Amino acid sequence: MSTITQSPAPTPASAPIVKATAASRSWKIPITLGGFAVLSLFLFVLLGRGQRGELSTFRLSQARDVIQLPAVALPTFITGVVVAIVLVLLAALSAWMVYRRIKIPIIYSILFAILFLVGFLAWAASGSTIPVPGLLIGTVTLSAPLIFGALGGVLSERAGVVNVAIEGQLLAGAFSSAVVASATGNPYLGLLAAMVAGALVAMVLAAFSLKYLVDQVIVGVVLNVLVIGLTSFLYSQVLAPSKNLNSPDVFPQLDIPFLSEIPIIGPVLFRQTIIVYVMYFAIAIVYFGLFRTKWGLRVRAVGEHPQAADTVGINVNRTRFVSVTLGGVVSGFGGAYFTLGAVGAFNKEMTNGMGFIALAAVIFGQWHPIKATLAALLFGFATNLQNVLGIIGSPVPSEFMLMLPYVVTIFAVAGFVGRSRAPAADGKPYIK
């Protein structure tokens, strides 16, 4: 007699297994917004300026503009009070959104930042005039080398190589462009020399990192020190005694017809030097190359999972070497801006740590060329803001004005960028 055993009914394949998970709450953005809201109450209300009816004027056009926009005059104290109240409400709303596990969109933080900026400018310019076109033109100008450096860093780190040597690449490009342009009398040859110098620094970084497996951060720091010392020595021994080797022709401003006459946007974007115009194309090319081409897919593959890329026939180290070298070319080109686009001569350590700020822009921009560009523009805006406020006689202490760009960068990275994840294999050598 056989025994019949009834097995339990099988679970239907279509029945999904549901796991109850609670969405995590991150209070970083509400805390940051709350801090700025409290600061706005303190500055705009408790220490409010313009209580006697002073106005803060925003000039929207330059004297040479064909289309003249009227200046906007705002009552200083009332503007500050209204902005402070709105910022407090926005900060409270962001806390409620986090409590209810509602994702805060990036446009929310951007709106908050714009409102705070308007209130701060109105408070700082009480009884004075803020030249808005000049403020924005200076932003693009000061951001140009940062953007080139950030694009070079994105190309390198997307392939898996940490590029701390951006500072050295910018400085090498500035030095080489000044010497070659002065010796030949051709600033375009100076641009070419800057790209070659940046590529050489990047190739040394790639060789030690990929072939000899030296720690990438250490190699980058050493290269920065080497380039700073070498250029300073050559400046003292060669350029200082021979002025004809350090007097390159500066690229003139080129106005694009019709586009340069657009109110506000025209003077900012289309009254620039050729280096800035090349920057526009560089942003588009790097973005298109990384995200719309087969080569870009390979670069991102070796930066995320080199073992998987190797199994499908991609030469990991060669791809990384090429990408790092291209990043050096872009950064070196940006270094030429210091000598051929702005100053007109090379000085010791004239990059002044901007390569490290470009690296921070890469992280702030989440290793994305467009976002890194916006981060570099933010730092350039903060840098130019300190110059403008100093000219109009702002009550902000000069010591704070000097640290303003760095404070903005720290707050941006800490509070507004959210979670930032580097490429998975960034900084990790691949041993086959």
Side-chain angles (χ1 to χ4, degrees):
M1 183 176 179
S2 60
T3 303
I4 300 176
T5 305
Q6 185 176 4
S7 59
T11 303
S14 60
I17 300 176
V18 180
K19 295 182 179 180
T21 58
S24 60
R25 293 190 181 104
S26 176
W27 293 95
K28 183 167 59 175
I29 292 181
I31 291 175
T32 304
L33 298 186
F36 276 99
V38 172
L39 178 62
S40 68
L41 287 174
F42 179 75
L43 284 180
F44 307 156
V45 180
L46 296 181
L47 298 180
R49 306 179 69 202
Q51 298 185 21
R52 297 180 180 179
E54 290 87 352
L55 299 178
S56 300
T57 305
F58 295 83
R59 189 172 68 239
L60 304 180
S61 299
Q62 295 180 311
R64 57 174 293 193
D65 292 347
V66 175
I67 302 175
Q68 292 289 326
L69 298 178
V72 176
L74 300 176
T76 302
F77 184 72
I78 295 177
T79 301
V81 171
V82 172
V83 168
I85 293 174
V86 174
L87 293 182
V88 170
L89 294 177
L90 289 177
L93 179 60
S94 68
W96 177 83
M97 294 171 68
V98 171
Y99 177 76
R100 298 300 300 267
R101 294 186 172 89
I102 300 174
K103 184 178 180 180
I104 301 177
I106 186 64
I107 191 66
Y108 192 94
S109 298
I110 294 175
L111 175 62
F112 187 96
I114 292 175
L115 288 174
F116 180 84
L117 178 63
V118 171
F120 178 76
L121 290 178
W123 175 82
S126 178
S128 302
T129 300
I130 291 285
V132 176
L135 178 61
L136 298 179
I137 291 172
T139 296
V140 176
T141 299
L142 293 173
S143 300
L146 288 175
I147 292 174
F148 280 112
L151 293 176
V154 169
L155 284 171
S156 177
E157 302 214 8
R158 276 290 184 171
V161 178
V162 176
N163 193 354
V164 183
I166 299 176
E167 176 78 5
Q169 294 162 8
L170 290 173
L171 192 59
F175 177 84
S176 302
S177 62
V179 173
V180 173
S182 300
T184 63
N186 190 334
Y188 293 97
L189 291 179
L191 289 178
L192 180 62
M195 291 188 287
V196 172
L200 290 176
V201 176
M203 290 170 69
V204 174
L205 170 66
F208 278 94
S209 300
L210 303 177
K211 183 175 179 59
Y212 301 106
L213 306 181
V214 182
D215 186 275
Q216 298 171 7
V217 176
I218 294 177
V219 175
V221 173
V222 171
L223 282 175
N224 289 333
V225 175
L226 173 63
V227 174
I228 290 174
L230 182 61
T231 54
S232 298
F233 172 78
L234 293 176
Y235 173 81
S236 302
Q237 300 298 319
V238 179
L239 299 188
S242 304
K243 298 295 184 181
N244 59 331
L245 289 178
N246 194 22
S247 56
D249 294 332
V250 178
F251 284 107
Q253 175 182 298
L254 299 176
D255 295 353
I256 297 180
F258 303 109
L259 294 179
S260 61
E261 302 302 333
I262 300 175
I264 300 179
I265 298 177
V268 174
L269 299 180
F270 304 112
R271 293 179 188 171
Q272 297 288 350
T273 64
I274 190 172
I275 298 179
V276 176
Y277 294 137
V278 172
M279 180 187 74
Y280 301 155
F281 288 101
I283 297 170
I285 291 172
V286 172
Y287 172 78
F288 182 83
L290 282 177
F291 298 100
R292 293 295 185 268
T293 65
K294 183 185 296 184
W295 172 81
L297 180 61
R298 292 180 176 181
V299 169
R300 289 182 288 126
V302 300
E304 292 289 347
H305 204 307
Q307 291 86 357
D310 192 13
T311 58
V312 296
I314 299 175
N315 190 318
V316 174
N317 285 336
R318 183 173 64 188
T319 303
R320 286 182 169 181
F321 188 90
V322 171
S323 186
V324 173
T325 303
L326 288 176
V329 170
V330 176
S331 298
F333 191 95
Y337 183 82
F338 292 100
T339 51
L340 302 182
V343 179
F346 178 82
N347 297 314
K348 288 184 179 180
E349 302 182 37
M350 66 185 310
T351 53
N352 197 25
M354 296 188 76
F356 298 104
I357 302 300
L359 182 61
V362 173
I363 300 172
F364 179 25
Q366 299 176 331
W367 293 266
H368 189 282
I370 304 298
K371 294 179 181 179
T373 297
L374 296 177
L377 285 171
L378 174 64
F379 184 84
F381 177 82
T383 303
N384 195 45
L385 181 60
Q386 70 170 352
N387 300 329
V388 172
L389 293 184
I391 293 174
I392 66 174
S394 169
V396 182
S398 59
E399 293 81 6
F400 177 79
M401 297 304 301
L402 291 175
M403 61 187 256
L404 177 62
Y406 306 95
V407 171
V408 169
T409 302
I410 291 173
F411 274 107
V413 173
F416 288 91
V417 70
R419 185 178 180 182
S420 185
R421 186 189 71 85
D426 193 19
K428 301 177 182 177
Y430 177 66
I431 303 175
K432 189 170 182 179

